[in-house]
Amino acid sequence: MFENYKKFEYEYEGRPLVVETGKVAGLANGSVMIHYGDTVILACATASPKPRDGIDFLPLSVDFDEKLYAVGRIPGSFNRREGRPSEKAILTSRVIDRPIRPLFPKDLRNDVALTLTVMSVDPDCSPEITAMIGASIALSISDIPWNGPIGGIFVGLVDGKIVMNPTAEQRKVSDLQLTVAASEKKVVMIEAGANQVDDDTMYEAIMQAHEEIKKLLVFINGIIAECGKPKFDYPSCELDHDMFDEIFSYCEKDVMFALDTDDKNVRDARMQPIMDAILENFSEKYEGLDIMLPELIYKIQKKIVRRWLLVDKKRVDGRRMDQIRPLAAEVGVLPRTHGSGLFTRGQTQVLTVATLGSMKDAQLLDGLDEEVEKRYMHHYNMPGYSTGEAKAIRSPGRREIGHGALAERSLIPVLPSVEEFPYAIRLVSEVVSSNGSTSQASVCGSTLALMDAGVPIKAPVAGISCGLITAEDGSWDEMIDIQGLEDFYGDMDFKVAGTHKGITSIQMDLKIDGLTPEIIKGALERTHKGRDYIIDEYILKAIPEPRAEVSKYAPKVITMKIDVDKIAAVIGKGGEMIKKITSETNSTIDINEDGTIFILAVNPECGKIAKGIIDAIVFEPEEGCCYTGTVTRIIPIGAFVEIAPGKEGLVHISKLDTKRVEKVEDVVAVGDKITVKYLGTDEKGRINLSRKDAMTQE
C-alpha cells in the first residue's frame, strides 16, 4: 500500500534515531515520522503555490505542537483538549525557527509552515531536538527552496564532563543546558542556560556539539539523496538592480546624514523627507514604487551602515567597535513595590519590578515534561510607546515570551533556594524605551530589582549583546553592545548574560548561514569584558549587595516544622482551622507534605500570632506537667478544660479541689482560667486532668 515508504536508521549518542518517509501526511510538501528512542515527532513542511499580494518578507511559521496524549495525560482544561501553546512550546518553536529561517532564499515570499507534532515522549530523548532534526529533514526532502540541511544536539555538563544528549536524570544535575544547531561547516544557532559556566568550557561544548552534528548530517544527506524532490521555481521578489543603483546615487549623501546620529527620533525625522523626495522624483519612472519603498529604504540604509562598519570601522553613534553606550543604574524607583531597578543603556531603558509572594503563588505548569510548577517567573513587556509607535496594548507575543524566558533563565543560577528564601518571586521587565538589546537590559534591571527587594542572590548578573558584520570576501568584524540599526542591518545578535565567574545564558540570532569558531570565540571574549564592566561600574555602584531585609510592604516569612501526622489538625475539617488562622491573623500559610510550614504576613507580629496558634494546635502535653486552660463546659461529674486548641480534657469532680466538692458549679464556671495537671490519657485516648494535683504541686 505504501509504495514510497522508506525507513532510515542511525545510532545517535547511544540511542536509535529512525526516520520514516512516504507513510503519513503525503499531501505535505515534505513530511517525516521521526523516532528518537520512544520519542516520536511528525514533522510536516508545506508552502503556498505563490506569494500573497503585498508581502515583502518571508512568511514562515514554525509550530511545536504538544499533545498531552504523548505522555499519557488528559488535558486539565474545561474542554479537556489542548488550548493555546505552553510557554515551553513557544520557546521551542523559536529555537527551531532561528536556525532554519536564515537558510531560505532572501527573495522567497511564499508562505511556509512547519508543523512539528509531538506524538510520544521518551524523557531520555529530547522531543525538542528530535523536532529540530525532523524539521530539517522534512524541509530538505521537500520541493521547498531551502539551503539546508542542519542538525541539532543538546549538551549537558555533568560532574565537570561534557555530555551529548544527556538523559533525563543527567539533565537534572547538569550545570549546562545547551542547544546547538549547525550545518556541515558552520554553527547556525546557540541557546544556553548555564550555572556560571566559564567561557572556555562553553566554547569547547559548542565545538564538540558541532563535531557530533557533522556525523548526523552524513546520515541526513543520505536520506535527501534517496528521497529528495527537486526544488520548485518561485517568482523572485528581488528589487530591480538598475532602479536601486539610480535611487541610491540620488539619496546616498542625504541618507548618510540622516543615519549619522545616536538619536532614533532624529534619525526617523530626517528620513521622512528623503522618502517623500524619492516618491516625488521616481514614481512615474518606476511603477509600484510606493509598495517597494520600505524594502528599498531598508536596503539603502543597510548598504551604508554595513559599509561604515566594515570599511570605515564607524558606528552610527560614533562609538568604537568595542565601546559600550552610556549607562545608568538606579534602584528603589517605585516606593510601594517590593523591589525595583531602572537600567539605561543609550536610548534603551528597562524598569524591572520584583514582587515576593507565598509558595502558593508559584506557577502551575501543564506541559509534556516532569516540571509541574515554577517558583520564579519573569515577564517582559514592550509597549508601542517604547519605540515611538502609536499602537494599543496587546497580549504578549512570541517575542515577548521569549525575551522574558531568556531573562528568567539568566537569573535562575544565582537565586537562593526555597530553604534559604521561602518566597515565590515574580519579575516584570517594562521596556520604557527601546533602541536595541532590551532583553539584556532586562537582565541588568532584574539584578537591580532582586537586590533592591532583599533577595540574597549569589552574584550579580549582567547581559550584553555582540554584533557581527561580514563581507563577501570572508572578512568580518564584531562590535559590542549593538543598538537597533546594527541589529537590523547586521548579521548577528549574540546575547550573553552571566556573572564575573561565568555564563548563565546565551541566545544567538543570525541572518547569515552560520558562524566560524573564531567568530564564536571572539563574541564570548567581548561579552565577558562587557558584562564585567557593567557589573563593577554600574550595578554594584547602584547597590553594592542585596538589602538585608525585604521591603516593609513585602510579606515576612516565618518557617516552622511539625510532625506530618499533625498536618490534618492544623488544616482542620474542610480547611476550617487554617482558614480561621489566616483570617484572624491576616496571614498566608503554606504547608508542605513534609510538615514544613511557611507563614507570610506583612506585619511580623501577625505572623508570630499565627505561629503561636499553630504551636498550640500541635502541642503535645507532657504527663505530670501543669498547664493553664479554659473551662469550656460543665457536666455533673466534672468540668471540661481546654489546655490548647483542640486539646480538651475532663477534670473529674473528685479532682476539682483539695476538699470535697458537692457541686461542680461551686468551684468553677464556664470561661474560668484554671491551672490543671496533665495525668495522661485513658484507654480510649481521652485526656485526664486534675486541678487538685496542680494545687498540691503548687
Side-chain angles (χ1 to χ4, degrees):
M1 180 178 179
F2 304 110
E3 58 184 33
N4 294 322
Y5 174 74
K6 294 184 184 299
K7 184 177 181 180
F8 305 88
E9 299 185 35
Y10 178 71
E11 191 79 9
Y12 197 35
E13 301 304 326
R15 278 150 276 174
L17 182 71
V18 179
V19 177
E20 297 177 292
T21 67
K23 188 173 182 178
V24 296
L27 295 181
N29 295 65
S31 65
V32 295
M33 185 79 85
I34 182 167
H35 306 245
Y36 187 33
D38 286 340
T39 292
V40 181
I41 306 287
L42 175 61
C44 297
T46 51
S48 62
K50 60 181 182 178
R52 285 176 280 153
D53 292 337
I55 293 292
D56 60 355
F57 62 94
L58 172 66
L60 169 67
S61 64
V62 179
D63 291 297
F64 183 76
D65 189 15
E66 294 179 321
K67 301 297 185 183
L68 286 181
Y69 58 66
V71 289
R73 285 167 48 197
I74 295 174
S77 64
F78 181 80
N79 291 323
R80 290 295 186 268
R81 67 176 296 157
E82 290 81 5
R84 58 175 296 178
S86 69
E87 183 175 292
K88 186 164 185 180
I90 290 171
L91 298 176
T92 302
S93 298
R94 284 171 55 86
V95 164
I96 296 171
D97 181 298
R98 287 205 302 275
I100 284 172
R101 187 176 291 270
L103 300 180
F104 283 96
K106 302 300 181 187
D107 57 346
L108 180 66
R109 297 293 180 266
N110 301 56
D111 284 83
V112 179
L114 268 171
T115 305
L116 309 163
T117 307
V118 186
M119 296 187 158
S120 178
V121 172
D122 177 346
D124 287 336
C125 299
S126 164
E128 295 83 9
I129 292 299
T130 310
M132 182 183 290
I133 297 170
S136 173
I137 298 173
L139 276 171
S140 296
I141 66 173
S142 76
D143 59 349
I144 302 170
W146 188 62
N147 299 316
I150 62 163
I153 199 165
F154 189 82
V155 187
L157 185 65
V158 181
D159 296 329
K161 294 182 180 180
I162 295 170
V163 180
M164 298 294 157
N165 283 351
T167 64
E169 288 303 312
Q170 288 175 321
R171 289 197 295 270
K172 289 178 183 177
V173 296
S174 176
D175 287 322
L176 176 63
Q177 301 85 40
L178 169 66
T179 303
V180 178
S183 62
E184 186 177 350
K185 294 182 179 179
K186 296 180 180 179
V187 173
V188 296
M189 196 280 300
I190 301 169
E191 175 107 358
N195 187 13
Q196 302 185 72
V197 170
D198 65 87
D199 292 0
D200 291 341
T201 302
M202 182 67 75
Y203 176 77
E204 181 60 29
I206 294 169
M207 292 301 101
Q208 286 190 30
H210 193 192
E211 291 303 313
E212 296 303 315
I213 290 172
K214 288 178 184 178
K215 300 173 189 175
L216 172 67
L217 288 172
V218 174
F219 167 68
I220 294 176
N221 281 321
I223 299 174
I224 298 169
E226 194 164 338
C227 303
K229 302 175 185 176
K231 302 301 183 182
F232 63 67
D233 294 325
Y234 60 93
S236 174
C237 295
E238 189 71 31
L239 290 174
D240 179 84
H241 293 291
D242 292 337
M243 176 190 72
F244 177 82
D245 291 342
E246 182 180 358
I247 295 177
F248 182 83
S249 298
Y250 167 78
C251 66
E252 178 182 2
K253 291 182 179 179
D254 291 335
V255 174
M256 287 173 65
F257 171 74
L259 295 177
D260 198 8
T261 175
D262 62 351
D263 191 316
K264 183 178 181 294
N265 293 327
V266 171
R267 186 164 60 243
D268 292 345
R270 289 176 179 177
M271 283 301 304
Q272 190 57 52
I274 297 173
M275 292 188 288
D276 294 340
I278 291 172
L279 288 175
E280 183 178 345
N281 287 282
F282 294 96
S283 288
E284 290 186 7
K285 185 174 182 179
Y286 297 111
E287 186 180 351
L289 182 61
D290 55 335
I291 297 173
M292 294 182 285
L293 186 61
E295 186 174 2
L296 179 67
I297 291 297
Y298 165 79
K299 292 200 170 183
I300 291 171
Q301 291 181 331
K302 180 177 181 178
K303 183 174 180 178
I304 291 171
V305 171
R306 292 177 69 86
R307 187 176 65 198
W308 277 349
L309 290 168
L310 266 172
V311 180
D312 304 331
K313 305 302 177 185
K314 167 186 169 63
R315 302 181 73 172
V316 172
D317 53 7
R319 284 182 291 147
R320 301 185 311 274
M321 302 293 271
D322 62 350
Q323 186 178 359
I324 296 174
R325 286 173 287 177
L327 304 175
E330 186 180 347
V331 295
V333 180
L334 304 175
R336 303 282 291 205
T337 60
H338 299 167
S340 57
L342 177 65
F343 185 79
T344 305
R345 180 156 46 204
Q347 285 187 309
T348 291
Q349 277 188 308
V350 176
L351 173 61
T352 299
V353 182
T355 306
L356 306 179
S358 76
M359 292 304 295
K360 285 181 180 176
D361 295 320
Q363 182 182 358
L364 299 177
L365 303 175
D366 191 17
L368 298 183
D369 53 23
E370 296 176 357
E371 189 180 14
V372 294
E373 70 173 22
K374 63 178 181 178
R375 156 220 189 193
Y376 163 53
M377 301 147 277
H378 194 126
H379 298 140
Y380 167 104
N381 299 313
M382 188 171 167
Y385 64 76
S386 66
T387 54
E389 297 176 84
K391 62 181 183 181
I393 292 175
R394 296 285 185 264
S395 58
R398 290 191 171 193
R399 179 182 177 277
E400 286 75 19
I401 291 171
H403 279 11
L406 178 60
E408 182 177 292
R409 171 178 269 190
S410 304
L411 292 157
I412 285 174
V414 301
L415 292 178
S417 66
V418 174
E419 291 72 26
E420 297 171 293
F421 194 73
Y423 288 93
I425 305 167
R426 182 187 185 227
L427 294 182
V428 180
S429 291
E430 305 285 2
V431 179
V432 294
S433 181
S434 171
N435 189 14
S437 201
T438 55
S439 65
Q440 299 309 285
S442 298
V443 173
C444 301
S446 298
T447 293
L448 294 169
L450 286 168
M451 295 173 76
D452 185 48
V455 180
I457 59 174
K458 298 169 187 173
V461 179
I464 195 164
S465 61
C466 180
L468 173 72
I469 196 80
T470 59
E472 291 183 1
D473 62 4
S475 61
W476 56 274
D477 202 354
E478 292 176 316
M479 54 276 188
I480 196 69
D481 182 26
I482 58 174
Q483 61 170 305
L485 272 185
E486 293 165 340
D487 183 10
F488 201 45
Y489 301 126
D491 297 321
M492 175 183 79
D493 183 5
F494 196 109
K495 300 181 274 278
V496 184
T499 63
H500 282 316
K501 181 180 177 182
I503 294 167
T504 57
S505 75
I506 297 177
Q507 187 178 93
M508 185 183 80
D509 294 326
L510 276 185
K511 297 174 186 170
I512 55 175
D513 63 355
L515 301 182
T516 63
E518 294 76 19
I519 294 173
I520 295 171
K521 199 170 190 67
L524 291 174
E525 290 173 355
R526 286 176 183 262
T527 53
H528 195 150
K529 290 178 183 176
R531 72 175 186 263
D532 283 353
Y533 172 72
I534 295 168
I535 291 170
D536 291 335
E537 296 299 322
Y538 291 91
I539 291 177
L540 291 180
K541 286 184 178 179
I543 181 166
E545 59 185 18
R547 300 202 187 280
E549 296 180 351
V550 299
S551 164
K552 64 180 180 180
Y553 300 111
K556 316 304 180 291
V557 177
I558 297 174
T559 305
M560 60 186 297
K561 189 148 188 173
I562 63 173
D563 290 337
V564 174
D565 56 6
K566 300 291 184 185
I567 294 176
V570 175
I571 295 174
K573 187 177 181 181
E576 183 179 342
M577 179 59 71
I578 200 166
K579 289 176 184 176
K580 180 181 179 184
I581 299 170
T582 56
S583 175
E584 291 179 355
T585 62
N586 195 25
S587 62
T588 300
I589 299 173
D590 298 334
I591 305 177
N592 290 349
E593 292 180 357
D594 66 353
T596 303
I597 298 179
F598 302 111
I599 303 168
L600 286 85
V602 174
N603 184 340
E605 292 304 315
C606 291
K608 291 177 182 177
I609 294 170
K611 181 180 183 299
I613 296 172
I614 295 173
D615 280 333
I617 293 172
V618 301
F619 161 75
E620 287 292 344
E622 186 177 341
E623 192 169 332
C625 292
C626 295
Y627 302 97
T628 299
T630 304
V631 177
T632 57
R633 53 198 172 104
I634 293 174
I635 59 176
I637 63 168
F640 285 95
V641 178
E642 186 178 58
I643 58 174
K647 287 189 171 51
E648 185 180 75
L650 177 67
V651 181
H652 193 269
I653 192 169
S654 64
K655 301 289 187 180
L656 270 176
D657 207 337
T658 53
K659 59 181 183 294
R660 180 179 174 79
V661 177
E662 296 290 339
K663 194 175 180 183
V664 176
E665 290 86 343
D666 293 339
V667 180
V668 295
V670 173
D672 284 353
K673 297 282 188 183
I674 62 173
T675 300
V676 295
K677 186 174 183 178
Y678 175 61
L679 303 179
T681 57
D682 61 19
E683 66 280 357
K684 294 184 178 180
R686 295 176 295 195
I687 294 174
N688 292 322
L689 304 172
S690 172
R691 180 171 177 266
K692 179 174 74 173
D693 290 340
M695 294 169 65
T696 304
Q697 186 163 318
E698 288 176 357

